[in-house]
């Protein structure tokens, strides 16, 4: 009985968390696309979110494209089938990966053992502050990331469990690692059900070495 | 103490901890805490790795477990042990060991190892199949002209483009040579065509044909070109002479000799006539003075087959059989810049009538591309792979469109919208390659001459019916152009008004400064 109740509760919090995380991903990806100039500035508009102005694409094609990706991601998150989400920035001509933004997703299992005394849900404010910190870091990262001189495009990769349901719009891929990469770990945040850690890998500037 | 150690793996006994394999790896690290914890168990959680502390301390004292829990949540390296599966815990171990920021190679290596260890068996890397939308927005002008273009394309769809010629004439003896330019249509509505040794004038208003001249000896006509007002015709010959003829009196005004080989292409800029020669040189002739040669432009190493002055006379574009496209400043005898993108002879050259610095150039058999250039910035704006030899390019004055003529394999005319470069229509025009095209002074009709020795007229850029007052006059010219002998009188009546209106009409985009 109590197990049943707990399961239900766990499910709801997982789905709720999936929503929070998906929203974070959507804003995060938009923010990266803006900061890294994948699309021209005039295609973006500022939206208030997490107490910040976040630049979000208003190009219908891009919005639709990301929307389709995010729909799938949210389902996987809710089912707990996803380990990583990666945004790889590729040179359009050579297809070489120049930058790789990785978000590790860890499922925070509700401590079933602590049964009668569930951990206090995270306050919305604390969550917002954690997410805000990541966005500040994404914006700040422009200062150390190499300038993307070529025309670039991007790919979204998802590391999923093998038993995840895969829509036909998705296909297997190689990990698109950056060759000769420098990595910088960004901040992390966690909801009651997911923990997200961010990492950016970029091509080491050969001239500086 | 050994019993204590031995107890840990089994003693805990919860299902989550029953997963043996990853623990095995971890035990190395665990080996230390118990040894120290035997002394003072309470101090362990704060000083050591918490994951192991949880299990070590857990069973003996439930009270201690409670205090340790927060520590488990805030561990820097292993966020939550119980939530981990094989892959992530293994990866975490590697990460915890390598305290310092990872470098890409190590990360990649570790993932390779993880995969080699079979961890990836239950993992997949997925990508969204569809490509991200592209952002071809570099040229802002393109963005802003896009809506206009779309409406243009829409009207183009509504506009009926006949894929049958309006008129077909014979052109017997047309020399089948890609490098010659034997067709031109004047502002006075006279079509000049060079047929072997002769030049014929076809009056498009009346349909009359006159033989203008007949070259002597072995010489044949290699190029014809009208002045922008249509009063004089330049004829380039295979002997290297350039003749200037008066259209009105149909008499030769002068001959300008000097080229050592045939003159295959010419272009007028007011009183200046540029001629391109087989030897790769381009001469500028001032037709008003006795010593006519005022400049020699040498940059091509092979026959010059494309030559076009910009409408304001500031730039000259030249294309050669050496696959080069050169842009010359009128004041200079060295090229302003050269372009080597073409991989075959550059014969088709056309300046946009509505955008001064826009030039289209088309390559020959092995190239098949049309490139668009911004001649101010020297940037390549766009390219089309047409799929066949590009023999000429004509821009529409009225529409944001251009028409290209082609050789093998389809010998067709292709109509493109600009700047989207969407193909509007392909017109299968001739049985053999189209060699020359000319656009009528009202900008509505394209004449094509092909090596099947026929001359065809295509009304591709028909004026919009709602287009203002001059459209009627233009229609008049077009009607006259298609005149049959029966409507001769009517055409003659419309004659004085129509050609002048048409002439005005066409002279606007080509007007001088």
């Amino acid at each position: 009985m109590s197990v049943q109740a707990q399961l239900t509760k766990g499910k709801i919090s997982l789905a709720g968390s999936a929503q929070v995380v998906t929203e974070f991903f959507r804003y995060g990806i938009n923010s990266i696309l803006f900061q890294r100039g994948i699309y021209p500035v005039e295609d973006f508009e500022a939206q208030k979110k997490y107490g910040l102005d976040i630049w979000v694409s208003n190009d219908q094609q891009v919005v639709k494209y990301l929307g389709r990706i995010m729909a799938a991601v949210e389902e996987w998150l809710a089912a707990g089938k996803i380990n990583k989400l990666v945004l790889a920035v590729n040179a359009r001509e050579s297809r070489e990966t120049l930058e790789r933004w990785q978000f590790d997703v860890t499922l925070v299992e509700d401590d079933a053992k602590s049964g009668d005394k569930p951990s206090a849900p995270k306050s919305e404010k604390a969550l917002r502050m954690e997410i805000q910190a990541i966005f500040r870091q994404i914006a700040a990262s422009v200062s150390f990331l190499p300038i993307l001189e070529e025309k670039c495009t991007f790919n979204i990769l998802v590391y999923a469990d093998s038993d995840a349901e895969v829509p036909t719009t998705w296909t297997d891929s190689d990990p698109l690692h950056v060759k000769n990469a420098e990595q910088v770990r960004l901040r992390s945040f966690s909801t009651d059900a997911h923990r997200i850690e961010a990492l950016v890998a970029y091509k080491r500037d050969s001239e500086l070495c | 103490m050994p019993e204590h150690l031995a107890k840990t793996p089994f003693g805990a006994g919860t299902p989550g901890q029953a997963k043996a394999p990853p623990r095995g790896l971890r035990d190395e690290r665990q080996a230390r805490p118990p040894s120290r914890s035997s002394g003072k168990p309470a101090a362990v959680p704060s000083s050591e790795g918490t994951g192991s502390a949880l299990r070590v301390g857990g069973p003996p004292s439930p009270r201690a477990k409670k205090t340790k829990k927060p520590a488990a949540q805030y561990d820097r390296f292993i966020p939550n042990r119980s939530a981990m599966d094989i892959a992530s815990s293994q990866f975490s171990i590697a990460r915890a060991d390598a305290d310092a920021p990872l470098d890409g190679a190590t990360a990649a290596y570790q993932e390779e190892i993880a995969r080699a260890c079979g961890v990836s068996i239950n993992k997949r890397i997925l990508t969204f199949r569809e490509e991200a939308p592209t952002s071809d927005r570099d040229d802002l002008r393109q963005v802003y002209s896009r809506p206009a273009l779309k409406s243009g394309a829409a009207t183009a769809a509504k506009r009926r483009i006949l894929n049958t010629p309006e008129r077909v004439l014979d052109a017997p003896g047309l020399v089948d040579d890609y490098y010659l330019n034997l067709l031109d249509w004047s502002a006075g509505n006279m079509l000049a065509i060079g047929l072997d040794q002769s030049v014929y004038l076809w009056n498009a208003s009346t349909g009359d044909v006159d033989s203008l001249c007949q070259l002597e000896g072995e010489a044949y006509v290699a190029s014809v070109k009208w002045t922008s007002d249509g009063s004089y015709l330049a004829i380039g010959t295979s002997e290297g002479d350039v003749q200037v003829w008066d259209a009105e009196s149909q008499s030769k005004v002068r001959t300008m000799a000097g080229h050592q080989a045939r003159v295959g292409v010419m272009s007028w800029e007011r009183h200046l006539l540029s001629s391109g020669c087989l030897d790769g040189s381009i001469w500028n002739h001032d037709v008003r003075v006795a010593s006519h040669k005022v400049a020699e432009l040498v940059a091509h190493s092979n026959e010059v087959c494309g030559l076009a002055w910009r409408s304001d006379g500031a730039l000259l574009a030249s294309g050669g059989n050496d696959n080069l496209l050169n842009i010359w400043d009128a004041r200079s005898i060295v090229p302003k810049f050269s372009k080597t993108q073409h991989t075959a002879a550059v014969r088709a050259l056309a300046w946009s009538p509505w955008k001064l610095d826009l030039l289209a150039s088309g390559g020959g058999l092995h190239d098949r591309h049309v490139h668009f250039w911004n001649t101010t910035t020297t940037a390549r704006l766009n390219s089309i792979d047409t799929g066949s030899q590009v023999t000429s390019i004509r821009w529409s004055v009225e529409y944001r469109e251009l028409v290209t003529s082609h050789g093998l394999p389809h010998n067709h005319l292709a109509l493109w919208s600009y700047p989207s470069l969407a193909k509007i229509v392909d017109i299968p025009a001739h049985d053999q390659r189209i060699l020359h095209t000319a656009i009528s002074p009202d900008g509505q009709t394209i004449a094509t001459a092909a090596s099947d020795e026929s001359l065809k007229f295509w009304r591709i850029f028909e004026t919009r019916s709602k287009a203002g007052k001059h459209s009627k006059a233009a229609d008049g010219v077009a009607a006259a152009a298609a005149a049959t002998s029966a409507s001769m009188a009517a055409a003659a009546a419309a004659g004085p008004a129509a050609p002048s209106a048409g002439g005005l009409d066409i002279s606007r985009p080509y007007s001088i400064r």
Side-chain angles (χ1 to χ4, degrees):
Chain A
M1 174 60 191
S2 77
V3 172
Q4 182 63 42
Q6 218 175 359
L7 271 177
T8 324
K9 180 199 156 279
K11 248 183 194 165
I12 287 168
S13 85
L14 195 61
S17 170
Q19 214 171 1
V20 172
V21 175
T22 309
E23 194 174 54
F24 163 76
F25 281 154
R26 196 176 55 242
Y27 282 105
I29 290 169
N30 270 299
S31 187
I32 292 167
L33 295 182
F34 171 76
Q35 298 290 351
R36 305 307 292 139
I38 309 296
Y39 293 106
V41 179
E42 59 268 20
D43 281 3
F44 289 85
E45 62 189 14
Q47 284 183 12
K48 280 254 183 275
K49 188 74 194 174
Y50 309 121
L52 291 169
D53 274 336
I54 294 179
W55 291 86
V56 175
S57 176
N58 60 6
D59 182 305
Q60 279 313 303
Q61 266 187 303
V62 179
V63 171
K64 270 189 203 152
Y65 180 77
L66 289 179
R68 285 205 298 274
I69 291 176
M70 286 305 145
V73 168
E74 184 167 357
E75 266 178 41
W76 282 322
L77 279 168
K81 299 290 187 199
I82 189 169
N83 306 101
K84 280 181 217 279
L85 183 131
V86 172
L87 192 164
V89 177
N90 314 317
R92 203 194 295 168
E93 299 281 318
S94 62
R95 309 307 285 182
E96 187 190 2
T97 308
L98 302 176
E99 236 170 75
R100 194 170 187 274
W101 297 78
Q102 177 176 320
F103 299 93
D104 295 335
V105 180
T106 326
L107 212 55
V108 180
E109 254 172 43
D110 215 7
D111 258 324
K113 289 117 262 172
S114 62
D116 49 353
K117 195 176 173 290
S119 54
K122 192 165 205 158
S123 80
E124 207 174 302
K125 187 166 179 245
L127 180 64
R128 205 177 73 178
M129 294 307 285
E130 283 181 7
I131 294 180
Q132 208 183 79
I134 298 185
F135 277 101
R136 287 187 195 284
Q137 279 194 320
I138 290 174
S141 64
V142 175
S143 59
F144 65 79
L145 291 174
I147 294 164
L148 300 172
E149 275 156 359
E150 299 168 74
K151 282 187 184 172
C152 289
T153 179
F154 68 97
N155 275 114
I156 304 280
L157 305 184
V158 164
Y159 286 52
D161 292 349
S162 61
D163 57 346
E165 272 184 46
V166 179
T168 52
T169 46
W170 291 71
T171 177
D172 287 298
S173 157
D174 64 68
L176 294 179
H177 281 301
V178 181
K179 288 201 184 80
N180 190 20
E182 197 98 45
Q183 303 210 6
V184 172
R185 184 167 290 285
L186 305 179
R187 283 172 187 263
S188 62
F189 80 95
S190 53
T191 67
D192 291 331
H194 291 101
R195 182 177 172 77
I196 311 294
E197 292 176 69
L199 175 86
V200 56
Y202 56 92
K203 237 180 145 50
R204 187 177 291 156
D205 197 340
S206 50
E207 282 168 27
L208 291 178
C209 293
Chain B
M1 198 197 81
E3 301 95 304
H4 189 85
L5 225 178
K7 223 181 280 174
T8 17
F10 308 105
T14 64
Q17 286 169 347
K19 286 185 194 167
R23 308 284 186 248
L25 266 164
R26 192 144 302 179
D27 280 345
E28 286 183 327
R29 280 164 49 76
Q30 286 167 6
R32 274 173 293 136
S35 62
R36 260 205 278 162
S37 71
S38 61
K40 35 171 190 170
V44 169
S46 55
S47 67
E48 257 311 320
T50 50
S52 53
L54 232 176
R55 258 182 299 127
V56 173
S61 75
R63 212 157 46 84
K65 183 185 178 183
K66 259 181 207 163
T67 57
K68 283 161 203 159
K69 252 199 65 189
Q73 280 181 346
Y74 292 116
D75 183 278
R76 273 198 301 155
F77 305 120
I78 307 163
N80 191 327
R81 177 173 305 281
S82 56
M84 285 200 169
D85 57 8
I86 300 168
S88 50
S89 54
Q90 193 160 10
F91 189 59
S92 300
I93 292 167
R95 220 162 20 159
D97 288 341
D99 214 344
L102 300 168
D103 82 88
T106 335
Y109 174 72
Q110 279 166 357
E111 296 213 7
E112 285 294 332
I113 291 290
R115 195 172 312 141
C117 293
V119 173
S120 65
I121 285 171
N122 60 348
K123 291 276 177 289
R124 310 176 58 171
I125 304 173
L126 298 170
T127 185
F128 199 54
R129 202 184 280 269
E130 202 178 309
E131 278 286 295
T134 53
S135 59
D136 266 327
R137 301 283 175 84
D138 295 345
D139 190 353
L140 284 180
R141 282 160 297 191
Q142 287 184 22
V143 181
Y144 295 128
S145 62
R146 208 161 275 174
L149 160 88
K150 265 175 194 151
S151 67
T155 55
K158 271 181 243 156
R159 183 171 106 231
R160 271 187 62 198
I161 298 165
L162 294 176
N163 60 358
T164 50
E166 201 176 46
R167 197 182 180 100
V168 182
L169 299 175
D170 275 340
L174 185 72
V175 180
D176 183 9
D177 191 329
Y178 176 74
Y179 300 100
L180 306 183
N181 290 274
L182 299 174
L183 187 69
D184 198 26
W185 203 330
S186 80
N189 220 6
M190 299 284 277
L191 189 78
I193 185 166
L195 299 177
D196 199 12
Q197 293 198 306
S198 314
V199 174
Y200 290 91
L201 298 183
W202 181 72
N203 188 331
S205 304
T206 62
D208 293 342
V209 178
D210 285 315
S211 170
L212 183 69
C213 68
Q214 174 100 28
L215 299 182
E216 287 161 12
E218 296 287 294
Y220 57 86
V221 178
S223 55
V224 293
K225 193 74 187 174
W226 288 102
T227 53
S228 61
D229 62 358
S231 51
Y232 295 97
L233 178 71
I235 299 171
T237 71
S238 60
E239 307 290 304
D241 291 347
V242 176
Q243 304 176 358
V244 180
W245 288 71
D246 187 317
E248 192 70 31
S249 63
Q250 304 208 342
S251 58
K252 185 156 80 179
V253 180
R254 71 180 293 183
T255 300
M256 298 182 290
H259 274 303
Q260 294 305 304
R262 74 177 183 198
V263 176
V265 65
M266 293 178 296
S267 180
W268 284 92
E269 207 298 282
R270 291 180 295 171
H271 55 265
L272 209 62
L273 176 68
S274 297
S275 59
C277 180
L278 180 67
D279 61 14
S281 65
I282 299 166
W283 287 15
N284 287 345
H285 309 269
D286 188 332
V287 296
R288 301 169 303 181
V289 294
S291 55
H292 53 85
K293 183 182 166 187
V294 291
E296 180 167 357
L297 312 176
V298 183
H300 289 285
S301 56
N302 209 321
E303 177 159 19
V304 179
C305 51
L307 205 56
W309 278 99
R310 191 163 85 175
S311 59
D312 69 349
L315 294 177
L316 171 71
S318 69
N321 198 21
D322 52 359
N323 309 349
L324 273 183
L325 167 66
N326 285 326
I327 308 292
W328 310 78
D329 192 298
R331 298 159 296 189
S332 167
I333 57 161
V334 289
K336 185 184 173 203
F337 61 89
S338 290
K339 291 292 181 183
T340 55
Q341 267 85 350
H342 285 291
T343 55
V346 184
R347 176 175 186 253
L349 291 173
W351 292 92
S352 164
W354 66 79
K355 199 169 141 189
L356 199 62
D357 54 11
L358 178 62
L359 173 74
S361 66
L365 197 55
H366 298 290
D367 184 36
R368 312 190 310 262
H369 280 78
V370 175
H371 293 309
F372 296 90
W373 312 93
N374 179 331
T375 50
T376 306
T377 64
T378 76
R380 182 159 61 101
L381 299 173
N382 244 320
S383 296
I384 329 175
D385 184 354
T386 62
S388 64
Q389 182 183 40
V390 183
T391 55
S392 75
I393 301 171
R394 300 288 163 194
W395 293 91
S396 168
V397 183
E398 174 141 1
Y399 302 95
R400 294 290 178 266
E401 291 169 7
L402 64 152
V403 64
T404 54
S405 63
H406 298 276
L408 291 170
H410 301 301
N411 310 311
H412 64 292
L413 286 171
L415 186 60
W416 313 83
S417 73
Y418 190 88
S420 77
L421 305 183
K423 187 184 273 186
I424 297 168
V425 70
D426 269 346
I427 303 171
H430 284 268
D431 298 332
Q432 291 178 41
R433 66 175 174 183
I434 302 172
L435 287 169
H436 316 287
T437 60
I439 192 160
S440 67
D442 63 18
Q444 297 193 67
T445 308
I446 298 276
T448 59
S451 43
D452 56 10
E453 301 195 340
S454 63
L455 178 61
K456 296 186 183 181
F457 296 84
W458 310 84
R459 199 155 166 181
I460 293 173
F461 299 126
E462 192 160 6
T463 313
R464 276 170 257 214
S465 53
K466 59 179 167 61
K469 50 196 181 292
H470 67 265
S471 77
K472 224 171 204 173
D475 279 345
V477 176
T484 58
S485 54
S487 64
M488 276 275 289
S500 64
L504 269 178
D505 204 20
I506 194 66
S507 67
R508 181 173 41 80
Y510 296 112
S511 65
I512 294 153
R513 277 188 243 274

